[in-house]
Amino acid sequence: MDGLKAIHEAGLDAVNDPSQTGRSIDTIEKNLDKINAKTDDGKVDEAVDDLNQAVEDYNKAILNGDTNPDSGRIDAAAAKLTDVCTS
């Protein structure tokens, strides 16, 4: 699925160049919207919601001054979305 690939690449871009985090988050959100719009599968919807929440919480941590926010929830939610979409 192209959307999942774009999400994965955006995450790698943010890790490799933290100055690109904002652009990466925009890419992730845009592709999550596309994935969510193309399906009526409850498991996919839940995985997309989990990933959206993880990204929102990560952004909030940054805005609150956290200079080293934990991206583990984003990674876990992305892995769940990948599993749901590829199973």
Side-chain angles (χ1 to χ4, degrees), residues 24-36:
S24 295
I25 289 170
D26 290 344
T27 298
I28 290 168
E29 290 174 345
K30 184 183 341 174
N31 282 282
L32 285 174
D33 289 345
K34 286 180 188 178
I35 291 169
N36 209 18

Side-chain angles (χ1 to χ4, degrees), residues 22-81:
R23 186 179 339 172
S24 295
I25 289 170
D26 290 344
T27 298
I28 290 168
E29 290 174 345
K30 184 183 341 174
N31 282 282
L32 285 174
D33 289 345
K34 286 180 188 178
I35 291 169
N36 209 18
K38 289 182 182 179
T39 183
D40 60 359
D41 185 312
K43 289 181 181 180
V44 172
D45 292 341
E46 181 181 328
V48 168
D49 289 345
D50 289 349
L51 187 50
N52 274 325
Q53 186 63 53
V55 169
E56 183 178 319
D57 292 345
Y58 183 87
N59 289 341
K60 190 181 297 182
I62 291 171
L63 291 173
N64 287 334
D66 188 345
T67 58
N68 190 22
D70 180 12
S71 63
R73 283 189 50 221
I74 294 173
D75 297 337
K80 179 180 175 182
L81 179 60

